[in-house]
Amino acid sequence: EKKLECDICVSMSGKTVTMLSERNPKHFTYDYTYWSVNAGEGSQNEIFEDIGNTMLSNAIDGFNCTLFAYGQTGSGKSYTMMGGQDEDDAGVIPRMIEGLFEEKDRLEKEPLQELEVRISYLEIYKEQVTDLFAALNSRHAKGESLKIMEHPKLGVYVKGLYLMPCETKKDVMGNLEYGLKMRTIASTNMNQNSSRSHAVFTIIVNRLEGER
């Protein structure tokens, strides 16, 4: 876009984003807005402080939390979620995982306290649901289509989806990176390695108290 000398078609004032148009500009107001056109603005840390910390705290307290990223190819979804190569450039997910295990270490210093962490990673591609960890689970073949079910008490779940136990941040990040490599990708005009699917990465946290 810079090479083509394209014009910026949006503007931002506070929490309001305006789609610029010669005839009828459109205004949208959000809880949080980040102007990342200029270097140093809308940093990964700023996004995590606004969104990630609250989600992490709520998850530890037993509430379900969802972070949903959407947008066109090249808009920054993967970068915001996962970040770059440098630790200071880590995205929301790595920062939340780090915070989760810091909280796990803190809680487990108390007697009879334990934080159990399990993860799952699925892909939805061409209306088929597959487990990105299937190759690590002997019960299911790689690429096998899974069924979405509904439990009267637990709600919607994916039958047969592998829940992988993890003891450390390194365990979670290593398996997350493995799952990313298993995703379906293809080239587009804007991204040579664009994901061709939707994916759901889930962290399940159980806070256990008392003797076991």
Side-chain angles (χ1 to χ4, degrees):
E1 292 174 345
K2 290 182 179 179
K3 290 180 180 179
L4 294 174
E5 298 182 351
C6 297
D7 294 327
I8 295 175
C9 60
V10 297
S11 66
M12 187 179 297
S13 177
K15 296 182 178 181
T16 300
V17 177
T18 300
M19 297 284 295
L20 303 178
S21 170
E22 294 182 0
R23 295 183 178 180
N24 185 25
K26 294 183 173 15
H27 307 280
F28 304 90
T29 301
Y30 301 93
D31 293 330
Y32 302 102
T33 55
Y34 307 96
W35 183 257
S36 57
V37 175
N38 302 319
E41 299 182 18
S43 68
Q44 298 280 44
N45 186 63
E46 183 182 355
I47 294 171
F48 180 74
E49 289 296 324
D50 286 342
I51 300 171
N53 271 333
T54 301
M55 291 187 65
L56 179 59
S57 175
N58 288 339
I60 296 295
D61 289 338
F63 294 95
N64 292 329
C65 304
T66 300
L67 182 58
F68 185 79
Y70 68 96
Q72 73 175 49
T73 296
S75 62
K77 301 182 297 296
S78 297
Y79 176 74
T80 301
M81 288 295 201
M82 292 301 298
Q85 298 296 323
D86 298 333
E87 187 173 340
D88 292 341
D89 208 23
V92 174
I93 291 176
R95 289 171 187 265
M96 288 189 68
I97 292 169
E98 182 176 6
L100 174 62
F101 281 93
E102 287 176 355
E103 185 66 15
K104 175 179 169 67
D105 291 341
R106 186 189 69 80
L107 278 173
E108 293 182 350
K109 290 178 181 178
E110 300 292 329
L112 306 179
Q113 295 276 346
E114 182 182 349
L115 208 63
E116 181 185 72
V117 178
R118 294 175 295 165
I119 63 173
S120 67
Y121 203 1
L122 65 83
E123 178 180 61
I124 306 170
Y125 180 60
K126 292 185 176 179
E127 299 186 2
Q128 299 292 314
V129 178
T130 56
D131 190 345
L132 293 172
F133 292 154
L136 306 176
N137 178 15
S138 59
R139 293 179 301 172
H140 293 281
K142 178 182 174 182
E144 179 182 350
S145 181
L146 303 179
K147 293 183 178 180
I148 299 175
M149 312 289 286
E150 186 169 5
H151 190 278
K153 292 184 178 180
L154 301 177
V156 176
Y157 70 100
V158 179
K159 185 178 181 179
L161 184 65
Y162 183 37
L163 300 179
M164 182 181 296
C166 294
E167 294 293 331
T168 65
K169 174 190 173 183
K170 185 177 180 181
D171 291 342
V172 178
M173 291 304 301
N175 288 309
L176 175 56
E177 292 291 345
Y178 170 84
L180 285 169
K181 292 177 182 177
M182 300 302 292
R183 291 192 63 185
T184 303
I185 61 172
S187 176
T188 69
N189 290 334
M190 296 182 67
N191 189 341
Q192 188 174 0
N193 295 306
S194 176
S195 172
R196 299 289 85 206
S197 67
H198 301 289
V200 180
F201 177 68
T202 304
I203 303 175
I204 300 172
V205 181
N206 290 329
R207 184 170 178 173
L208 308 176
E209 299 180 352
E211 295 184 1
R212 286 172 294 282

